[in-house]
Amino acid sequence: MNVMVSGVEYWFPVYEMFKQAAHQMGCDTIYTGTPDYDVTKQIASFEQVLARQPKGILVHPMNADPFIEPINRAIEQGTAIVTFAADSPNSNRTAFITSNNDLEGTGAADAVAKAMDGKGEYAVLENPGQDNHDRRIAAFIARMEAKWPNMKLVARAASNQDANKAYQAVLSMAQANPNLGAIFMPEANSALGAAQASVELGGKIKIMTADVNAKILDMIKAGEVFGSINPNQGMQGYLGFLTLYLAAHPDMIDPMNDAKRNGKNAMTIPYIDNGYAVVTAQNADDFYWDAYLKRRGTKGIEE
């Protein structure tokens, strides 16, 4: 499994269930990636694991197009490739496992708008260029425009998963828009800074994010973060391994189609939805990584 920003807690339960499925199938796994928000460095880490000639790689491509050539070359060399959470749709990857980012953005918009009685000002923080984040933001805004016409978008800024940038952006947004009532961002790191700014401003701005970690869960329970849209990470990893295994063993599949005639992998699946949950103060206790890992009795990404 290969990711960008490898220390982000989001990946850990994905890998946990990727690993569980692999062990059930008698396979070994490793967790790889780069700690940096840098597509060039992630591709370098992808190349390093590819050099070990694995049967398959489940990869989260930070950006779609730069990964086209590495993914296609890996497949040509005999390594199956499945993408997850973000895609490289123009590559030859066999399958794509994700939650529906459009539905996530829609769900976040509905939750915020309902909490504000359908009227008020909102803003968004973004990470331009990352496909899944872009989709969440676009769907959030589109839902507001379509269903909640009295919700007004007054500001947007790029925080790029940087808590300090998010903090400064929220302070600036609030100064320019004193009636700002809510801010949505597509990932948890920015929410840390946004929530800090909101607290300093009196806590009147509802911080709605996506993904969770222990700090975000604590802040949700404390009322500092309004809520989060969290993909079903475990199923993402489990389905990711199963499709990767089958992609690496296409001889196991004999479908009624023209795959064999055209020399294509019979396992090709454009999209599998792993689902998502809306995390609030009421259910936050069910999403703590340390409690989950203790229950499972494993070493997480260290295995």
Side-chain angles (χ1 to χ4, degrees), residues 79-130:
T79 295
I81 303 293
V82 169
T83 56
F84 76 102
D87 195 16
S88 181
N90 294 322
S91 72
N92 295 328
R93 56 92 173 116
T94 303
F96 173 39
I97 318 296
T98 190
S99 51
N100 187 315
N101 300 133
D102 295 332
L103 290 179
E104 288 174 342
T106 296
D110 286 346
V112 168
K114 288 176 182 177
M116 296 175 65
D117 295 323
K119 58 182 181 296
E121 297 181 354
Y122 73 94
V124 295
L125 297 177
E126 307 175 75
N127 299 296
Q130 186 167 325

Side-chain angles (χ1 to χ4, degrees), residues 122 140-149 151 153:
Y122 73 94
F140 183 90
I141 295 172
R143 181 66 165 184
M144 287 296 197
E145 292 175 345
K147 186 175 180 179
W148 306 100
M151 295 292 297
L153 176 64

Side-chain angles (χ1 to χ4, degrees), residues 8-271:
V8 172
E9 189 176 304
Y10 174 89
W11 312 121
F12 300 171
V14 179
Y15 181 67
E16 184 66 19
M17 296 305 291
F18 177 82
K19 180 175 58 178
Q20 180 186 2
H23 291 175
Q24 290 172 345
M25 302 289 281
C27 301
D28 295 323
T29 64
I30 57 172
Y31 178 80
T32 67
T34 172
D36 303 303
Y37 191 80
D38 186 318
V39 67
T40 301
K41 291 182 179 179
Q42 189 194 356
I43 290 175
S45 71
F46 180 89
E47 299 284 7
Q48 289 171 357
V49 72
L50 181 61
R52 301 174 63 169
Q53 299 182 314
K55 289 292 291 184
I57 301 174
L58 181 69
V59 60
H60 171 93
M62 176 180 165
N63 299 119
D65 289 347
F67 264 93
I68 294 174
E69 191 280 330
I71 287 174
N72 292 350
R73 178 162 37 85
I75 293 171
E76 290 173 1
Q77 294 175 4
T79 295
I81 303 293
V82 169
T83 56
F84 76 102
D87 195 16
S88 181
N90 294 322
S91 72
N92 295 328
R93 56 92 173 116
T94 303
F96 173 39
I97 318 296
T98 190
S99 51
N100 187 315
N101 300 133
D102 295 332
L103 290 179
E104 288 174 342
T106 296
D110 286 346
V112 168
K114 288 176 182 177
M116 296 175 65
D117 295 323
K119 58 182 181 296
E121 297 181 354
Y122 73 94
V124 295
L125 297 177
E126 307 175 75
N127 299 296
Q130 186 167 325
D131 179 66
N132 59 327
H133 291 178
D134 289 342
R135 287 177 178 272
R136 288 171 179 168
I137 292 295
F140 183 90
I141 295 172
R143 181 66 165 184
M144 287 296 197
E145 292 175 345
K147 186 175 180 179
W148 306 100
N150 293 322
M151 295 292 297
K152 181 182 178 182
L153 176 64
V154 296
R156 55 197 305 172
S159 55
N160 296 114
Q161 300 198 78
D162 186 311
N164 185 60
K165 287 182 180 179
Y167 171 79
Q168 296 296 337
V170 172
L171 293 180
S172 296
M173 288 174 171
Q175 183 176 19
N177 304 279
N179 294 321
L180 182 63
I183 303 176
F184 175 62
M185 57 229 63
E187 40 73 36
N189 279 355
S190 293
L192 296 175
Q196 180 184 347
S198 176
V199 169
E200 293 178 8
L201 292 167
K204 296 180 180 180
I205 301 173
K206 296 183 185 300
I207 303 301
M208 186 70 185
T209 186
D211 307 339
V212 298
N213 54 42
K215 181 61 176 177
I216 290 294
L217 291 169
D218 289 345
M219 296 173 85
I220 289 174
K221 292 174 67 176
E224 298 170 357
V225 169
F226 172 70
S228 181
I229 300 293
N230 196 60
N232 192 332
Q233 297 140 288
M235 288 307 299
Q236 198 169 88
Y238 198 88
L239 291 170
F241 181 83
L242 293 182
T243 53
L244 189 63
Y245 185 90
L246 291 172
H249 300 279
D251 54 302
M252 296 176 64
I253 307 167
D254 187 16
M256 189 180 71
N257 61 27
D258 61 351
K260 289 188 177 181
R261 178 190 301 274
N262 295 325
K264 294 183 178 180
N265 192 319
M267 185 53 200
T268 300
I269 299 175
Y271 163 69

